Amino acid sequence: MAFNLKTKLWQTGALDWWGMIDGEDQYLGNREFPLPPEEGDEWLVRATGDRFKVIDGEIRKIGTGEQVPEHW
């Protein structure tokens, strides 16, 4: 997949998105991951509370908040 990003991305068979950020595997979310990711996109990963943003063609972790429980 080519999204013109500097960050290495991959998707698992469970449709979860992961990326190599600062030398570590980071969970980037499932449905909350923007497709295609574009400059300036920002999202909150509900399962972990991590917040990410695309800055200068790179996905960067910009903070951690509260986990958002899924209501079924």
Side-chain angles (χ1 to χ4, degrees), residues 23-53:
E24 294 184 22
D25 294 347
Q26 293 280 324
Y27 177 61
L28 300 175
N30 189 310
R31 293 181 181 212
E32 57 269 80
F33 185 77
L35 281 178
E38 296 178 355
E39 188 68 31
D41 284 348
E42 185 176 329
W43 67 97
L44 172 70
V45 179
R46 292 182 214 128
T48 62
D50 292 337
R51 188 171 285 289
F52 295 94
K53 186 172 185 174

Side-chain angles (χ1 to χ4, degrees), residues 3-62:
F3 293 127
N4 295 321
L5 293 175
K6 299 174 189 172
T7 305
K8 179 181 174 183
L9 296 175
W10 62 95
Q11 187 179 37
T12 67
L15 304 179
D16 292 327
W17 285 94
W18 290 79
M20 183 65 70
I21 299 173
D22 297 329
E24 294 184 22
D25 294 347
Q26 293 280 324
Y27 177 61
L28 300 175
N30 189 310
R31 293 181 181 212
E32 57 269 80
F33 185 77
L35 281 178
E38 296 178 355
E39 188 68 31
D41 284 348
E42 185 176 329
W43 67 97
L44 172 70
V45 179
R46 292 182 214 128
T48 62
D50 292 337
R51 188 171 285 289
F52 295 94
K53 186 172 185 174
V54 179
I55 302 170
D56 294 329
E58 218 174 315
I59 297 176
R60 297 189 187 167
K61 185 174 178 180
I62 59 171

